């Protein structure tokens, strides 16, 4: 699964305009990262609704979507880890994450239980993103419920019922930003894009069933 980190779809951003240097390097050079659960949900929802806006580029939406997910991971799961975009503006070849980042993430994967590992693998293969897969697993795994900070068990269950947690829809949108951008511009191929869209959600939904113990 570590190979997916080097080409993580969440970290593959469209090239920045040549005359725009403000979006070029690290995720952490953009607006303040906020790891709260509500911000994770709202940021992705807003990115979805604004994907057709002329005011935001595909790169802007990709950055806005990646920020809360990466912030949550580097705050609660991999504290202090540096995660960078994998594409340089001048190249189509991905760049590796720092060795320390790879070592920490690899160690975390090795420490997962069998159900969480199976769920993570399924999420990564479905969404082509280790970051999104990890975010989904820790949100729903019964082994990471202590990370749902600031809410009671009853509030947690209610959040699941109402769909205000980082769930299937948020993960699917984060994994398919570029496809949705393209279909929003050029149109959708019937019996292709629509089938892939639902199949991605089916596979990510099965991840929640595997790791949640419910």
């Amino acid at each position: 699964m570590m190979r997916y980190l080097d080409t993580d779809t969440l970290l593959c951003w469209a090239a920045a305009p040549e005359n725009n240097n403000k979006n070029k390097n690290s995720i952490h050079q953009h607006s303040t990262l906020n790891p709260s659960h509500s911000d994770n949900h709202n940021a992705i929802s807003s990115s979805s609704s604004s994907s057709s806006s002329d005011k935001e580029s595909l790169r802007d939406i990709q950055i806005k979507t990646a920020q809360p997910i990466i912030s949550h991971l580097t705050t609660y799961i991999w504290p202090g880890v540096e995660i960078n975009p994998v594409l340089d503006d001048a190249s189509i070849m991905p760049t590796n994450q720092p060795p320390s980042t790879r070592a920490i993430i690899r160690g975390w994967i090795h420490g997962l239980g069998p159900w969480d590992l199976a769920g993570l693998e399924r999420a990564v293969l479905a969404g082509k993103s280790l970051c999104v897969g990890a975010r989904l697993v820790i949100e729903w795994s019964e082994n990471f419920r202590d990370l749902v900070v600031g809410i009671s068990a009853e509030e947690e269950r209610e959040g699941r019922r109402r769909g205000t947690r980082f769930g299937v829809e948020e993960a699917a949108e984060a994994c398919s930003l570029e496809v949705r951008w393209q279909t929003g511009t050029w149109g959708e191929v019937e019996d292709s894009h629509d089938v892939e869209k639902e199949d991605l959600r089916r596979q990510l939904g099965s991840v929640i069933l595997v790791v949640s113990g419910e």
Side-chain angles (χ1 to χ4, degrees), residues 58-72:
L58 172 59
R59 182 183 176 86
D60 291 335
I61 297 171
Q62 288 171 323
I63 293 170
K64 181 187 296 185
T65 300
Q67 283 179 330
I69 296 174
I70 299 304
S71 176
H72 189 96

Side-chain angles (χ1 to χ4, degrees), residues 174-193:
C175 291
S176 58
L177 273 177
E178 186 174 355
V179 173
R180 290 188 295 111
W181 177 271
Q182 295 289 351
T183 55
T185 302
W186 305 108
E188 188 175 84
V189 177
E190 189 175 356
D191 293 331
S192 177
H193 290 121

Side-chain angles (χ1 to χ4, degrees), residues 9-158:
T9 188
L10 187 71
L11 305 175
C12 290
W13 302 343
E18 292 183 3
N19 60 349
N20 185 353
N21 294 322
K22 68 179 181 180
N23 288 336
K24 279 206 165 182
N25 297 314
S26 170
I27 289 174
H28 304 284
Q29 290 181 357
H30 308 292
S31 61
T32 302
L33 302 178
N34 191 324
S36 71
H37 292 275
S38 60
D39 285 352
N40 290 345
H41 178 76
N42 293 338
I44 293 178
S45 298
S46 64
S47 70
S48 174
S49 63
S50 63
S51 61
S52 61
S53 171
D54 292 333
K55 295 182 179 179
E56 283 190 302
S57 67
L58 172 59
R59 182 183 176 86
D60 291 335
I61 297 171
Q62 288 171 323
I63 293 170
K64 181 187 296 185
T65 300
Q67 283 179 330
I69 296 174
I70 299 304
S71 176
H72 189 96
L73 293 174
T74 56
T75 299
Y76 297 112
I77 304 301
W78 312 317
V81 162
E82 179 184 358
I83 297 179
N84 299 314
V86 298
L87 290 180
D88 185 86
D89 288 345
S91 173
I92 62 172
M93 299 301 294
T95 57
N96 294 336
Q97 299 294 335
S100 58
T101 295
R102 295 178 62 83
I104 290 172
I105 295 177
R106 184 182 292 109
W108 178 78
I109 293 174
H110 286 172
L112 292 175
W115 292 107
D116 289 342
L117 184 60
L120 178 64
E121 181 182 37
R122 187 165 182 82
V124 171
L125 293 176
K128 308 300 185 290
S129 172
L130 178 58
C131 293
V132 173
R135 181 68 183 87
L136 186 65
V137 167
I138 64 173
E139 181 73 15
W140 293 93
S141 172
E142 57 184 3
N143 296 316
F144 290 97
R145 287 184 177 173
D146 59 319
L147 295 178
V148 183
V149 294
I151 64 173
S152 65
E154 182 177 348
E155 289 173 325
E156 178 192 355
R157 288 192 294 271
E158 182 66 13

Side-chain angles (χ1 to χ4, degrees), residues 161-180:
R161 186 182 69 82
R162 292 187 176 184
T164 54
R165 304 276 298 282
F166 185 91
V168 171
E169 196 63 28
E170 291 75 23
E173 290 186 2
C175 291
S176 58
L177 273 177
E178 186 174 355
V179 173
R180 290 188 295 111

